[in-house]
Amino acid sequence: MDISVYRPGELSGADRAAWTALQSKAHLHGAPELANPFLSPEFALAVGRCRRGVRIAVLREGGEPAAFFPFQRTAVGVGRAVGLGLSDCQGVVHRPGFTWDAEALLRACGLAVWEFDHLAEGQTPFADHVTGTFPSPVMDLDEGYEAYLGRLRAGSPKFVRSTLAKERRLGRAVREVRYVHDERDPEILRTLMAWKSAQYRRTGRSDRFAHPWIIRLVRQLFHTRSDSFAGQLSVLYADGKPVAAHFGLRSERVLTCWFPAYDPAFARFSPGLLLHLHMAEEGAADGIAYLDLGRGQKQYKDSLKTREISVSEGWVTRRHPVALGHRARRAPVRALRNAVLARPELFASADRALKRMGKIRSGT
């Protein structure tokens, strides 16, 4: 096995095509998680244009690319998954049956440690370095939208009935309700980011769009389009005005739910839920196998999901003082967060406290 490490701009067109081909065929080989758009070359290259230290390791056998490992690293060898904190799927994209030695991979990449928080299923060489595994809900669409809706009705008929009734009520309250699956107006993207920033502040969360590089990244991805990858903005309109919107990433088979938000003035109609059902219907028609709702406990995710996949967090380390120091700093913070998320009573208290802080900051 030969490992070469490239800066994003150094990756050849042939290697990019080989990477995309591995993702396109992943579902045929029983590894649909590798088709996630967060594992695509487009995402890694976009992050590389916004952040320093992005590198791509190409693992070859017999001179042919067998796997691709995107990562970020610092000058002292601290490595992270590309877009750590933003990416909902991480790992090595590889051909069927290919395996690798985790420590040898880190050594070739000049890393003392590699941190991940959404490791895809099936990354067996990293299994010994996992510190926790968590459910990530999905909406299955491979049998079509009606089959998906049927599974929802079987599990929660009241939810489906009440949600569809809200769309009818919205239709009576306004002159026109319209859904656009792939909106190309950048002004609507700005509206979505403003809604999301307000939601982060209102709930006491850290505002991701307060970071200019994240705004640049989202804008770049919005304008990135090919048959195998696209940044996709979906919008629900009422009387020509957006009432809910979502920006996510699409591969040939997977649509990731990334940044959803809605106009609070329409909250009584649950526009976010309506938007996700429209996304599911149009996504199924486009050949999407599932919508990945992402790791995290949210009521709307529990209502919309039909099953769960797993993602993991942890550190791959070599015997190196940098690795020991990095893990010593990061482990207590991660452990505390997971303890709160795992206990409903602690999570509810923390959530209320964050919302109170959000109200104080906003002056409401």
Side-chain angles (χ1 to χ4, degrees), residues 297-316:
Q297 294 176 317
K298 298 287 184 181
Q299 185 176 353
Y300 81 90
K301 295 181 182 183
D302 288 338
S303 298
L304 292 167
K305 72 181 181 182
T306 50
R307 65 180 174 94
E308 295 174 337
I309 57 178
S310 295
V311 294
S312 301
E313 63 180 34
W315 296 266
V316 184

Side-chain angles (χ1 to χ4, degrees), residues 69-208:
F69 175 55
F71 62 95
Q72 290 178 249
R73 74 179 181 197
T74 67
V76 296
V78 173
R80 296 175 177 175
V82 167
L84 186 75
L86 285 176
S87 165
D88 285 345
C89 192
Q90 301 149 4
V92 174
V93 177
H94 58 91
R95 70 187 184 196
F98 180 79
T99 190
W100 63 93
D101 180 270
E103 292 192 26
L105 178 58
L106 261 63
R107 189 176 300 109
C109 295
L111 300 177
V113 57
W114 180 65
E115 181 179 356
F116 54 88
D117 63 1
H118 284 77
L119 186 70
E121 293 180 307
Q123 302 278 302
T124 305
F126 294 147
D128 290 343
H129 305 273
V130 167
T131 59
T133 299
F134 307 89
S136 184
V138 303
M139 301 164 64
D140 280 308
L141 305 173
D142 53 341
E143 296 178 7
Y145 177 69
E146 290 303 323
Y148 162 74
L149 208 58
R151 286 193 288 269
L152 278 194
R153 284 196 178 99
S156 182
K158 183 179 179 181
F159 166 75
V160 175
R161 188 167 56 251
S162 64
T163 302
L164 296 180
K166 288 178 181 178
E167 182 157 26
R168 292 192 293 271
R169 287 203 297 273
L170 176 61
R172 290 193 293 268
V174 301
R175 291 186 300 274
E176 179 193 37
V177 177
R178 181 169 58 95
Y179 171 73
V180 177
H181 191 55
D182 189 12
E183 176 62 79
R184 302 310 304 154
D185 185 352
E187 184 61 35
I188 305 301
L189 182 64
R190 285 190 285 270
T191 298
L192 169 60
M193 289 191 284
W195 282 347
K196 199 66 183 178
S197 287
Q199 178 190 337
Y200 286 137
R201 296 192 300 270
R202 187 170 61 247
T203 57
R205 269 67 175 182
S206 175
D207 181 4
R208 289 180 172 178

